[in-house]
């Protein structure tokens, strides 16, 4: 059953119907009527707006990543994004950061959908279904407790103590420099900014390109964590940067062939790593352990898994030199 | 080493010995002596009775699913079930609901054993061993905190606050109708029963068969959650139904070819989804996130994974049209 | 790009640089300078010493397991071990038990690195990266709360109540005998030592070799749990032994062909299972369920996964009779 390439609105409405496994734009339109009716009754339109943003961003992300046309046309890269877009405003109060969160979450849900497909469906015929939505939703609602710019409001299980807004003052230049280097040193659990600088020197000695990626990763993590209102103490200790630094390096240089497209992909992964850091810090707290590099590990696994699904551009093959030449055993 | 098809009692005793990797009916009989001795000393016979129910139900389920004869004969589909049957009465007080719980849990453990085999053993040569017991046991003990008909009694880690029995009054007909539609609307996180009705209309427009499965799933979830004594507020909000609706649709119509046998399989999965809903609501509470559709996702993955192990009847191939024709990328 | 076999120090320094994906001994040496500088500033040298122990033990373990020479030479089996070695003294106070913990953890991290490679990299091209460190670190920091010989000191998330030292009196001989048999009976959740003895009899009837492995597993678990200062009540109930008994049996006799080398491998796995028991008891407590046999299941999966990477000696093939002849479906 081939599905001809179709217009963007039809793709989005089919994706809306795919939450119930249907591929029918009219059904999708009725689902939007159902959402609008509920918003009309409750007076809260953020959920319906979030759903619209989610389906558009996730479907557009699939197009930008050149994922397979037939699946995109059937709406199969959109139904997780629409659920992310509907769920986040249901559990988090509206704010500028929320909308940035919805956009990044919906884009990431498309990557996760491709990852689940590459792993579960390819190996065992298990459909990913709404698994990517569950994963994205858990990470982003949990992460919201870590960020002062986001306020968890749902009456579902809610942590009582962590929702106060953090001060979001921008640190002084010298503080920013210390944060920048501590983000690197903390990969080795080192709180000294000088140690971070020595490590960066060691990286540049081995590879200038790797050094540049580390610099970019540390800068992105600092900006995003401050903008989201993360704990100033954690930011200053470099605890929001060490995982992001590794993601920027792994996705931008090591495991994918560097290009403009890959740089944007790596930047999305790096931003997502900061959010996942906020989430895992909350998620592991009940068992009394630190996050270690889990935010990097989880994000990198999910962003690398769909590698073979992401169609290389004719002259920009998304290759995998590190793995291809046998260097990446277990790395 | 071929194992001739043998009588049911021998299969069960071999399964009993397989907990220690043995395949010896006499050894299995001695293990039952050990259990009976412990029951005699403690005066609690529910554990030994549970073990007997567990080994019988799990082995019988393997036969009904036409799983491979040699493994059944060796007792390899029974040792997880016997542990489920022994463990649940160890940690949950005897009640009518407990015995229903043991039967469903033992049957599910056979499906999970087949799933672990299809994933771990087939791909990497890792034996599933008692992994399916651990998963089933965790889900069902955690779920017991959500159901007023079950009382967690073990002196092991026990949650202090959630064990009070819920009122199990059967709602009025009009309430049941609202629950029925909210179970559908909550897939989109909508609490309005009218929205649920609009969504059901949209599904029927796309596929009558899918609509019927959704209706059945919502009805089963309502009946099971009331019978188990789940929180009336959660039942009324439709929170016990949205995952079950998706499981009924996915297993009954979308990913397996519809037949009487598949309908029974889907019904088992739908009941299990209600139990998993109770479990995951407890399990994710410490990190302050909602369950989202995870009860459906987890149950569906486990019930779909063994698809290729479940022998199709000669004229009823258990096919996978949705995946076979390429429609299910990531769904 | 072939890497000639090189001296052990170079391997270790390359492994140090591999934390940032580099393969450069000079870079690795600079990273040690960075660690030493941080230790100099803080006055705490245990972290740098731990890193040194971690890289040496993990790299040496890879050599002893005959993992592939090229990856060892590139440092790919060392970067998880160095992180384990740096992390444990960062979060746990120095003590004799800590250093034993670091050695076992670093050795296990090499096994886990091989397991991640056999699963993630082989099937999907996903690099394991620092995933094995995260897993090992989580298990061992969580486990530290269960052992009186280890004191969690990090100012990161720390559980408030469980760090008091347990009495580590060595039980009397008759108590040791009861513990020995209860370790076996608890596989079936039986607290009676007589039941454990009956079960052991049943195992010896089926297989003398299996009986010997069970005896060894129970003895190791008793010694390790007492030495680590685990809860005396839990030790006496047999709760530290039932998973270790299964690991000793599974790794030593059932899934690997018995040999001296396999016996040592199984002993490492059995010791690690005791640590994982301590960890999972803490990790599942927030959701109110027992660990069941999860410590065995998790450890065994990780120790079996790399089976095909572990080069068999010419006359001692590490075979898998149980799986090879089709007996291990789902076991």
């Amino acid at each position: 059953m081939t599905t001809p390439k179709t217009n963007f609105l039809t793709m989005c409405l089919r994706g809306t119907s795919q939450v119930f496994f249907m591929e029918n734009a009219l059904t999708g339109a009725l689902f939007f009527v159902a959402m609008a009716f509920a918003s009309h009754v409750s007076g809260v339109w953020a959920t319906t707006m979030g759903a619209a943003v989610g389906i558009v961003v996730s479907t557009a992300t699939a197009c930008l990543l050149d994922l397979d046309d037939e699946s995109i046309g059937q709406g199969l890269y959109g139904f997780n994004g629409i659920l992310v877009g509907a769920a986040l405003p249901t559990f988090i109060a509206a704010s500028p950061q929320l909308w940035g969160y919805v956009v990044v979450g919906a884009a990431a849900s498309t990557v996760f959908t491709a990852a689940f497909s590459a792993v579960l469906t390819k190996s065992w015929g298990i459909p990913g279904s709404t698994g990517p939505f569950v994963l994205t939703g858990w990470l982003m609602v949990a992460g919201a407790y870590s960020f002062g710019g986001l306020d968890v409001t749902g009456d579902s299980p809610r942590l009582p103590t962590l929702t106060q807004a953090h001060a979001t003052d921008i640190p002084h230049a010298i503080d920013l420099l210390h944060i920048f280097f501590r983000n690197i040193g903390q990969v080795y659990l080192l709180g000294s900014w000088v140690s971070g600088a020595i490590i960066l020197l060691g990286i540049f000695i081995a590879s200038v390109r790797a050094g540049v990626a580390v610099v970019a990763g540390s800068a992105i993590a600092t900006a995003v964590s401050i903008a989201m209102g993360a704990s100033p103490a954690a930011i200053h200790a470099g605890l929001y940067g060490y995982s992001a630094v590794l993601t920027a390096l792994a996705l931008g240089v090591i495991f994918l062939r560097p290009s403009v497209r890959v740089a944007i992909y790596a930047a999305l992964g790096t931003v997502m790593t900061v959010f996942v850091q906020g989430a895992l810090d909350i998620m592991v707290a009940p068992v009394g352990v630190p996050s270690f590099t889990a935010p990097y590990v989880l994000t990198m696994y999910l962003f690398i898994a769909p590698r073979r699904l992401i169609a290389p551009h004719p002259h920009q093959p998304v290759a995998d030199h590190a793995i291809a030449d046998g260097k990446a055993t277990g790395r």
Side-chain angles (χ1 to χ4, degrees), chain A:
Chain A
M1 185 197 319
T2 54
T3 306
K5 196 151 186 176
T6 183
N7 70 65
F8 192 77
L9 178 63
T10 304
M11 287 179 195
C12 287
L13 290 177
R14 282 185 185 154
T16 304
S17 74
Q18 284 284 7
V19 170
F20 279 93
F21 314 100
M22 302 295 110
E23 181 187 327
N24 186 309
L26 174 58
T27 297
L30 267 174
F31 288 5
F32 259 107
V33 170
M35 286 184 265
F37 179 84
S39 286
H40 173 72
V41 170
S42 68
V44 180
W45 284 89
T47 51
T48 300
M49 283 168 52
V53 171
I55 189 73
V56 167
V57 169
S58 59
T59 304
T61 300
C63 295
L64 291 174
L65 291 175
D66 272 351
L67 294 170
D68 76 293
D69 284 340
E70 186 176 352
S71 295
I72 297 174
Q74 292 168 335
L76 290 174
Y77 285 107
F79 66 91
N80 280 289
I82 194 172
L83 288 171
V84 169
L88 295 186
T90 301
F91 294 98
I92 303 171
S95 73
Q97 285 96 332
L98 171 66
W99 292 106
Y101 217 51
V102 167
V103 168
V104 172
S109 80
T110 296
V111 175
F112 295 178
T113 299
F116 276 54
S117 181
V119 171
L120 290 177
T121 314
K122 182 172 156 249
S123 293
W124 305 302
I126 299 173
S129 196
T130 51
F133 154 60
V134 171
L135 179 60
T136 311
W138 279 352
L139 290 172
M140 301 198 91
V141 172
Y145 293 106
S146 288
F147 299 121
L150 298 171
D151 186 23
V152 180
T153 56
D155 50 15
S156 71
R158 180 156 55 136
L159 300 183
T161 58
L162 298 164
T163 51
Q164 75 280 14
H166 295 296
T168 55
D169 296 335
I170 295 175
H172 293 294
I174 187 72
D175 285 340
L176 286 173
L177 200 69
H178 289 173
I179 294 168
F180 173 82
F181 286 119
R182 286 202 193 98
N183 285 343
I184 299 164
Q186 284 288 4
V187 172
Y188 260 110
L189 303 103
L190 304 175
S192 155
W193 71 267
V194 176
S195 293
I198 297 171
I199 287 174
L200 183 59
L201 172 64
I203 295 167
F204 267 109
I205 286 174
S207 162
V208 172
R209 189 172 259 176
V212 171
V214 166
V215 167
S218 182
I220 291 174
T222 306
V224 172
S225 57
I226 292 172
M228 296 301 292
S231 153
I235 295 175
H236 276 80
L239 296 176
Y240 269 97
Y242 66 93
S243 274
V245 158
L246 290 172
T247 300
L249 179 53
L251 296 183
V253 171
I254 303 296
F255 298 121
L256 301 174
R257 177 164 295 180
S259 71
V260 172
R261 196 146 157 272
V262 161
I264 295 169
Y265 191 68
L268 175 66
T270 304
V271 173
M272 190 67 190
T273 301
V274 177
F275 296 164
V276 175
Q277 182 82 51
L280 290 184
D281 288 352
I282 297 294
M283 287 175 147
V284 300
V287 296
V289 299
S291 292
F292 292 130
T293 52
Y296 150 67
V297 168
L298 178 58
T299 309
M300 184 273 284
Y301 285 2
L302 288 162
F303 271 71
I304 285 294
R307 184 166 31 178
R308 291 178 211 293
L309 292 187
I310 297 172
H313 281 176
H315 299 289
Q316 291 183 324
V318 179
D320 39 341
H321 64 89
I323 292 203
D325 64 10
K327 281 172 61 186
T329 309
R331 181 157 57 179

